[in-house]
Amino acid sequence: MESQPLLRGSSARSKLPSWTLFLAVCAVGIGGTFQYGYNVSIINAPTQHIHRFLNETWTNRYHKALNPDLLTFLWSVIASVFSLGGMCGALVGGSMAIRLGRKGALLMNNIIAMLASILMGISFPTGLFELLIAGRFLIGINSGVGICVQPLYLGEVAPKHLRGGMAMGSSIFLTGGILMGQIIGLRELLGEEMYWPLLLSSSCLPAFAQLLFLPWFPESPRYLLIDRGDELSCVKALKRFHGSSEYEREMEDIQRESFALDGEKAKKPWQLFTDRAVRWQLITVIVMTMGQQLSGINAIYFYATYVFEQAGISAEHIPYVTLGTGACECLTALTCGLLIDYVGRRYLIIGGYLLMTFWSIVLTFSLTYQELYPWVPYVSMTSIFAFILSFGLGPGGITNTLIAELFIQSSRAAAYMIGGTISWISFFTIGMLFPFIVNRLKQYCFLVFLLECSSVAAFLFFVIPETKNKSFLAIEKEFHKLNFGRNKKETELYERRQLHDGF
């Protein structure tokens, strides 16, 4: 059955995705970035319960108490092995997307999630904490593959004028996963001690949902035509996504890119580092992905509990107030999805970093003088929510969208592998170094993040063009002068390649 617009009329058709496109976003999101956000979030609630499980298991096995330092080490392994798995997932995600297709890679990825859920679920009854570590590693791989392949799929199936909003589906489902994990982890649901194995193994539910719904949707049309050379399947997929009356425009755009590539195969990650035609795109991806993880958002969550306590909120009510931070992120991702195709990527991401710079200054002062006046804690609380809003409107929402747009088909999967790997390494690094930074600098740690946010904003201001409503080939042309400068020979080769745009 061919797709229909969400609303009738030509103006609605141009501004809204079809039902098929909308439901495809939901189908890929529930088992993609939702899993990442959910599994980052649910590990916080059972921390003390897992500590007791480790102590009891160690005592029963070795007939002696577990050393506190070793307990800290084991908990660190359980928490950080997720990042290691995520990095491995990012490294294989691009290859899976090329060999199995975007849709095939996401479907296969759910098998890893289900295996991880089984291992984490049986770790308690079997008394084997090693299964918990293995399960966290596997669910990390699942999250790494999902966060790499999902934006790749969404960026390729979306029409040019809706590409930003649809690509924001990755951030919307990620923040939705964080919020859902916070809700499920409440004491009234699965936050009690007896339920923690069930809480950790609940990640099988999104995987099962994706296995149930995603097969009903087509593969990425760009992948089908450019990578597989299957024009008939590409046309069928475009008709499903856009309808018989609208698909020709998208088909022409895909054909232009296919002709420009002239049979060029998908590149490996290491080939991008030696390809001068993508030099500045690659530098931009590295700066953006590192900037996203090192921006200070982790410091915000670290200080949130302290700030809420200082504002007079009781310890038993803090988990419910913390839900507000998750809801704030989710709401901001939705807002960014509505704004991105109107305001543009450049304004949102640069503006987001500048706002985060400002709120870092405010937080440094408010945390320094937290006890001087009774109203200062409320300034700190407001700053925390404002920082989260700024992050969601800027780097949290735009980064993955831009990675899809800065590269043409032959380089896109490899770019996501590089970006994903850098992101996970940065995530792991900040997780390891952050406690030491806070212990040494206290509230002045935000001065470090202030410098980082302002530096990334300056870089993006001078390097990144606006990509709104532009084809992938047009965006590639924007970077041409940066990549080649005045090199006449390279310029002639590049312009000869651009002649294929006339098809």
Side-chain angles (χ1 to χ4, degrees), residues 24 54-55 133 146 150 214 246 295:
L54 292 171
N55 274 315
I133 295 172
Q150 180 189 330
L214 186 56
E246 297 287 325
S295 62

Side-chain angles (χ1 to χ4, degrees), residues 415-428:
Y416 267 107
M417 291 172 70
I418 294 169
T421 304
I422 295 292
S423 180
W424 283 102
I425 291 174
S426 302
F427 182 71
F428 178 79

Side-chain angles (χ1 to χ4, degrees), residues 114-390:
M114 289 188 165
L115 179 58
S117 297
I118 293 170
L119 292 178
M120 290 187 287
I122 66 174
S123 62
F124 179 71
T126 57
L128 295 170
F129 60 79
E130 293 87 353
L131 294 180
L132 181 57
I133 295 172
R136 284 291 291 175
F137 177 73
L138 287 176
I139 202 65
I141 292 177
N142 169 268
S143 299
V145 172
I147 209 168
C148 173
V149 180
Q150 180 189 330
L152 194 59
Y153 179 88
L154 294 181
E156 290 179 358
V157 303
K160 191 164 51 179
H161 63 286
L162 293 173
R163 195 167 58 220
M166 284 188 59
M168 276 301 300
S170 298
S171 296
I172 291 168
F173 275 90
L174 190 155
T175 55
I178 292 174
L179 179 60
M180 183 60 69
Q182 291 173 338
I183 294 171
I184 298 295
L186 291 173
R187 289 192 303 273
E188 291 81 357
L189 296 175
L190 296 181
E192 292 288 347
E193 184 168 8
M194 67 178 74
Y195 297 128
W196 73 260
L198 190 59
L199 175 64
L200 294 185
S201 61
S202 63
S203 53
C204 67
L205 297 177
F208 179 75
Q210 187 171 76
L211 282 173
L212 189 64
F213 295 115
L214 186 56
W216 296 95
F217 297 95
E219 177 58 90
S220 160
R222 285 182 184 275
Y223 173 79
L224 289 171
L225 181 63
I226 299 176
D227 292 88
R228 289 273 182 87
D230 189 346
E231 186 171 346
L232 181 61
S233 296
C234 175
V235 170
K236 287 181 179 178
L238 286 171
K239 286 183 177 180
R240 283 282 311 279
F241 282 130
H242 306 293
S244 297
S245 61
E246 297 287 325
Y247 84 95
E248 291 96 341
R249 189 184 310 151
E250 297 300 320
M251 187 66 183
E252 289 171 5
D253 188 44
I254 296 173
Q255 285 176 330
R256 276 196 295 269
E257 188 172 349
S258 179
F259 289 141
L261 287 168
D262 197 22
E264 185 179 356
K265 298 295 183 182
K267 294 180 179 178
K268 305 296 183 185
W270 54 87
Q271 291 177 309
L272 297 193
F273 287 100
T274 58
D275 186 354
R276 187 171 181 179
V278 297
R279 177 183 296 174
W280 278 98
Q281 293 97 309
L282 190 59
I283 293 171
T284 302
V285 165
I286 293 171
V287 170
M288 286 194 304
T289 50
M290 287 184 67
Q292 185 185 41
Q293 292 295 340
L294 307 179
S295 62
I297 192 67
N298 297 302
I300 287 293
Y301 285 112
F302 179 86
Y303 269 104
T305 300
Y306 166 72
V307 170
F308 295 154
E309 286 174 349
Q310 291 295 307
I313 299 170
S314 61
E316 64 233 18
H317 291 130
I318 283 179
Y320 303 97
V321 179
T322 304
L323 284 178
T325 62
C328 184
E329 264 200 280
C330 195
L331 180 64
T332 309
L334 286 166
T335 305
C336 188
L338 295 173
L339 291 176
I340 188 170
D341 285 314
Y342 293 94
V343 178
R345 291 73 156 142
R346 178 179 163 85
Y347 287 117
L348 284 174
I349 193 167
I350 295 174
Y353 275 114
L354 291 176
L355 284 172
M356 289 161 69
T357 301
F358 172 76
W359 291 114
S360 294
I361 297 170
V362 175
L363 268 169
T364 302
F365 280 103
S366 63
L367 289 172
T368 301
Y369 301 107
Q370 187 84 348
E371 299 176 2
L372 191 60
Y373 300 104
W375 50 266
V376 175
Y378 296 100
V379 175
S380 299
M381 189 186 298
T382 302
S383 300
I384 282 177
F385 282 98
F387 192 100
I388 293 170
L389 282 167
S390 304

